[in-house]
């Protein structure tokens, strides 16, 4: 079986480990944690494609955090929102939504602090993530934005995995295929 998949993201290459999802399907692991060059590069490239008219950005905990932070830094934004995987003691009037992700074994719940929801009301919110695959995490973020009274201004990711590449409602930098049991891409 092949161990890695080489991807080129707008001129920056990385070797992604191929990981088994089940007996017949593999995915390539894309993790930006600890890779400052990749995070800065992807943030810059996504900002080039971002809609001109948004008030805030939101992402889900956890792999989107360095990306959204860098996008905020590069764009001069002083605030972004984070949907948490668990409520924190400081959170009040929490909004929640359940989600099932391809990379997570069980259903998760995303939580948004009520004060963030108040800031979001009537504002245009740009949803940012590292990888969009099944779209379940994206749907959960959309639901949180709408529940808070925000308006989804756009949906962006570094990579669109599998069938997500065919979605017309997301903007992404590169396509990431799914892989067969031998580590060969299912589509090109």
């Amino acid at each position: 079986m092949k161990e890695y998949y080489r991807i080129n993201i707008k001129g920056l290459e990385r070797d992604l480990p191929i990981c088994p999802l089940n007996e017949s399907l593999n995915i390539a692991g894309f993790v930006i944690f600890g890779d400052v060059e990749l995070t800065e590069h992807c943030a810059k490239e996504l900002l080039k494609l971002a809609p001109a008219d948004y008030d805030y950005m939101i992402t889900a905990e956890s792999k989107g955090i360095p990306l959204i932070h860098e996008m905020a830094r590069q764009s001069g934004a002083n605030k972004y929102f984070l949907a948490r995987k668990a409520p924190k003691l400081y959170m009040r009037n929490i909004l929640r939504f359940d989600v099932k992700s391809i990379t997570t074994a069980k259903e998760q719940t995303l939580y948004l602090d009520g004060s963030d929801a108040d800031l979001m009301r009537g504002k245009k919110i740009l949803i940012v993530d590292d990888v969009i695959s099944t779209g379940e995490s994206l749907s959960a973020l959309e639901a949180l934005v709408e529940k808070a009274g925000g308006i989804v201004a756009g949906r962006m990711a570094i990579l669109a995995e599998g069938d997500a590449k065919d979605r017309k409602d997301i903007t992404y930098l590169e396509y990431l295929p799914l892989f067969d049991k031998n580590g060969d891409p299912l589509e090109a």
Side-chain angles (χ1 to χ4, degrees):
M1 182 176 123
K2 294 181 179 143
E3 292 186 43
Y4 294 93
Y5 174 74
R6 175 153 290 183
I7 192 163
N8 184 311
I9 304 170
K10 302 294 184 202
L12 191 62
E13 290 189 341
R14 291 295 185 266
D15 289 329
L16 308 181
I18 296 179
C19 310
L21 194 59
N22 57 43
E23 290 179 9
S24 61
L25 188 63
N26 288 293
I27 59 172
F30 180 72
V31 180
I32 61 174
F33 288 138
D35 193 332
V36 175
E37 179 185 34
L38 180 64
T39 303
E40 290 176 350
H41 177 77
C42 292
K44 179 178 133 193
E45 295 300 323
L46 281 171
L47 285 168
K48 289 178 185 177
L49 303 173
D53 193 19
Y54 68 89
D55 298 302
Y56 296 107
M57 294 180 283
I58 188 171
T59 195
E61 192 175 37
S62 66
K63 291 192 304 180
I65 295 173
L67 176 64
I68 199 170
H69 181 85
E70 183 60 20
M71 288 177 73
R73 190 191 70 74
Q74 288 184 22
S75 68
N78 288 319
K79 176 76 176 165
Y80 59 85
F81 302 116
L82 175 62
R84 305 296 302 251
K85 289 182 179 177
K88 303 298 179 188
L89 292 175
Y90 61 82
M91 296 171 79
R92 302 285 187 264
N93 303 316
I94 298 169
L95 298 182
R96 60 176 281 169
F97 196 83
D98 296 325
V99 62
K100 177 75 173 124
S101 171
I102 191 172
T103 56
T104 307
K106 60 182 179 131
E107 187 171 82
Q108 293 182 356
T109 302
L110 292 179
Y111 300 87
L112 183 65
D113 187 278
S115 61
D116 287 344
D118 290 343
L119 285 173
M120 211 180 275
R121 191 171 301 113
K123 301 294 184 190
K124 296 176 186 143
I125 310 299
L126 179 61
I127 298 173
V128 177
D129 209 348
D130 62 330
V131 179
I132 295 175
S133 185
T134 64
E136 293 298 320
S137 297
L138 180 67
S139 294
L141 285 169
E142 288 175 355
L144 279 175
V145 168
E146 290 167 3
K147 196 171 188 180
I151 303 150
V152 175
R155 300 153 191 85
M156 304 190 85
I158 298 169
L159 304 175
E161 184 175 52
D163 291 340
K165 75 176 180 347
D166 299 324
R167 291 183 60 159
K168 303 297 182 214
D169 64 330
I170 62 171
T171 300
Y172 60 92
L173 299 178
E174 297 296 337
Y175 168 63
L176 181 62
L178 297 171
F179 301 85
D180 66 17
K181 64 183 179 181
N182 299 315
D184 293 316
L186 292 174
E187 299 178 26

